[in-house]
Every structure is written in structure tokens, then in C-alpha cells.
Amino acid sequence: MTTPSAPPSSQPGPLDDAHRAARRITRLSVGVAVLLIALKAFAVGASGSVAVLASLTDSALDLVASLAVFFAVRWAAAPPDEDHRYGHGKAEALAALVQAGLIFASAVFVGWEAIQRIFDPRPVVSGGWATGVMVVSIAITAGLVWMQTRAMKTTGSLAVAGDRAHYAADLGANLVVLIGVVSGAFLHAPGLDAAAGLIVAVWLFWGAVGLLKDAADPLLDRAAPEADRAAVVRAVLADPRVSGVHQLRTRLSGQVMMVQMHVDLDPTLTLEAAHAIVVEAENRILALYPAADILIHADPRGRTRTAPAQTTDQTPDPAPPSEPAPRDATPDAAPAKGPWS
């Protein structure tokens, strides 16, 4: 017996709140990216710093990535439709994958420019303007990261998490750029400015690798974390009438955890009684994970193996209800209590 959870079209309140918070923070992220591009473009024109140029390139890609996240969180919040019965939650992972590709491209560009400047150093002029712009950029980026951290507690959004990781890496990279600008402008060591740009390139590459892994996991249907799987099993087995859980499968689709499993019940239960037990189990899971999408199949305890397919068109007469098959008629292993048997 399968008992699906509530229809996806009627999402619980907490999930709606998470979607609204994600939309707000993505709007802010786009605005910050535009502001930083304007500031850094002015600083590059005034100073000619390769480190600031590296940061400007990164901010330009930040804007593209933030726009991808902006649209992805709105797509992911769309309810299931005829062609996407499991919803659109993986749009967030797809946006994170796009972000990773853009960061890789940024790292290659900045690294190439920095290597050229190491062999052909150029002086940094108007260091005061460049330094001031980088200080302002650091302050703005730090404020955005702080707000994204708060939003993540509400949303749990992979796209927002990827955007936050990107801007957190930018925060550290901007500090390196600031050191490079000060060294090139005030210490008359332009090679340090180019070296700072190279450090930024390495930093970006490393961040892209981590973001790529985070994006790949939901796209490849990686199971939910072990702690979440164990919590689901404990919730189901809290009812002593459920003697075992097996074939547990989980995956994440955006902010929704998909849960499927088989449970062992007394074979003498009526269909209505078994249905009630399964619904209660679903409600206990939903109390822990309000946005979960749950599918539970009830197995008669001790008889969980699938019967062989009939080789003829004749359908055998069912056994009388008053004479159920003996418990040992189809030998099977004892029902497992563990979550992944």
C-alpha cells in the first residue's frame, strides 16, 4: 500500500516563508553586484591595478551568477506541473552549477592576467582611490554575507548557499587585493600587486571546486545526510506497530526532501488500519521535516518478497480471508530494524 503525503500544490507555510526569504536575498545580491562593478570599474580606470582588475572581473561574474540565482530560486519555488511532477527544486542546484563554471572561467582569466603582469610589472597609480574603493567593497561584501547567512537559516536554499560561499570567498579575495594595491601603490612593489591577483585566481579556483561538488550532489540524487535518514527511521519506528523499515531511499530537490520506504506491519491488519498507521508515520516525519515529500509502502511482516510473475493468463483464486497463509509459508529474513536494510 502506498500513501502519498499531501499534494505538492499545497505547500506548508514554512516553505513559503523560505521561498520569500530567498527571493529577497537574491534581489539584494544582484544590487550589491551592480554597485561593486561600478566602484571597481572606476578604481581600475584610475589606478591600473591588476589586483583590482581581478576583483572587477570576479564582481562581473558575481552579477551573472547572482542573476542565475535570482531566477533559479523563483523557478524552484514553482509548484509541480504535468511535466515536472517532483517540482522544480533542482533548479537551485543547476544555478549553483552555472556559478561554479563562471568562477572557473574567472579564475583562468585572472590567473593569466596576473602571470603576465608578474613578468611585465606595471606601476599602480592613484593608489588612494583604489584603496578606498577596496575598503568600501570589503564593507559592502561583508554586510551581504552576514545577511545571506541569516537568510540561509530560513531558506536552506542551495542556490543561496552557493551565492553566499561565492561572496564569502570574495571577501577574503578583496582583502588580498587590498594588500596588493597598498604594496603596489605605496611600497612601489608592483610585482606584489600581480602576485595578489594570482592568489585571487587560486582562491577562486578552489571555491569553484567546492561549489561544483555541492551542486553535483542533488543533481545526481545523492542521499540526504545520514543524520536525517536516521531521524526519519526513528520517527517511523516510534510506533511499536511498525516492526521494521527497509528499502529507505532519500534525495533532495531544492528545499524538499523526498522520502520513500517500506515498513513491516502485522499481516492481519485491515487495509484501513494499515493506512492509519502509515499516515501517522508520515505525520511524525513531517513534524521533523515540514517540506518532506513522503511515500510509504506497507509490507505484511514476514512476507516482503515479490511473488513470481504468472506464466499463464489464468489468475489463481485468492485464498479465503479466514485462512491466511502461514507465517512461514514464504520464508524470509527477520524484519530489519536498521534504516538501510
Side-chain angles (χ1 to χ4, degrees):
M1 179 186 67
T2 55
T3 308
S5 55
S9 58
S10 56
Q11 297 287 2
L15 189 57
D16 291 334
D17 293 340
H19 288 152
R20 283 193 293 269
R23 288 193 289 268
R24 285 195 299 268
I25 198 64
T26 54
R27 284 196 297 267
L28 179 62
S29 177
V30 171
V32 166
V34 171
L35 178 60
L36 292 178
I37 287 173
L39 289 173
K40 292 177 183 179
F42 169 77
V44 169
S47 67
S49 167
V50 68
V52 178
L53 175 62
S55 187
L56 171 61
T57 302
D58 184 38
S59 292
L61 289 178
D62 283 348
L63 176 59
V64 176
S66 294
L67 285 172
V69 173
F70 178 86
F71 291 109
V73 297
R74 285 154 178 77
W75 188 20
D81 54 36
E82 191 64 31
D83 295 326
H84 304 89
R85 302 300 294 172
Y86 290 96
H88 304 80
K90 289 188 178 182
E92 294 191 0
L94 186 60
L97 190 65
V98 171
Q99 282 183 305
L102 292 173
I103 298 172
F104 273 125
S106 177
V108 171
F109 173 79
V110 172
W112 176 253
E113 186 69 18
I115 290 173
Q116 286 186 317
R117 291 294 183 92
I118 288 175
F119 291 102
D120 181 23
R122 302 175 188 177
V124 176
V125 297
S126 301
W129 282 109
T131 301
V133 165
M134 292 312 303
V135 169
V136 173
S137 297
I138 289 171
I140 294 174
T141 304
L144 176 62
V145 170
W146 177 72
M147 296 188 70
Q148 287 174 325
T149 302
R150 293 184 59 190
M152 280 181 57
K153 296 178 181 178
T154 303
T155 65
S157 166
L158 177 62
V160 173
D163 215 27
R164 177 190 174 279
H166 194 180
Y167 278 102
D170 287 350
L171 184 60
N174 286 339
L175 290 171
V176 175
V177 170
L178 180 61
I179 294 172
V181 170
V182 171
S183 301
F186 302 109
L187 301 181
H188 305 291
L192 292 179
D193 174 63
L198 187 59
I199 292 173
V200 172
V202 174
W203 191 307
L204 292 173
F205 184 85
W206 184 256
V209 171
L211 187 55
L212 182 63
K213 179 182 181 301
D214 291 340
D217 284 347
L219 291 175
L220 297 176
D221 285 337
R222 183 182 178 90
E226 182 176 354
D228 292 331
R229 300 198 303 268
V232 166
V233 172
R234 284 196 300 269
V236 174
L237 293 178
D239 187 341
R241 296 173 295 179
V242 180
S243 58
V245 173
H246 56 281
Q247 295 187 28
L248 174 65
R249 291 186 291 178
T250 61
R251 62 186 176 92
L252 298 176
S253 179
Q255 301 165 51
V256 177
M257 180 167 66
M258 306 287 183
V259 181
Q260 299 179 19
M261 72 182 75
H262 289 220
V263 297
D264 296 321
L265 301 179
D266 186 340
T268 63
L269 289 171
T270 64
L271 177 62
E272 184 176 0
H275 172 81
I277 293 173
V278 169
V279 170
E280 290 174 13
E282 287 186 341
N283 290 334
R284 290 194 296 275
I285 297 174
L286 289 172
L288 299 174
Y289 305 98
D293 187 295
I294 309 163
L295 187 65
I296 300 179
H297 177 86
D299 284 329
R301 184 171 55 242
R303 296 197 294 274
T304 60
R305 290 182 178 174
T306 304
Q310 297 292 330
T311 57
T312 67
D313 294 335
Q314 295 180 347
T315 302
D317 295 333
S322 59
E323 299 178 4
R327 292 289 294 274
D328 56 353
T330 55
D332 201 348
K337 283 283 189 178
W340 310 289
S341 57

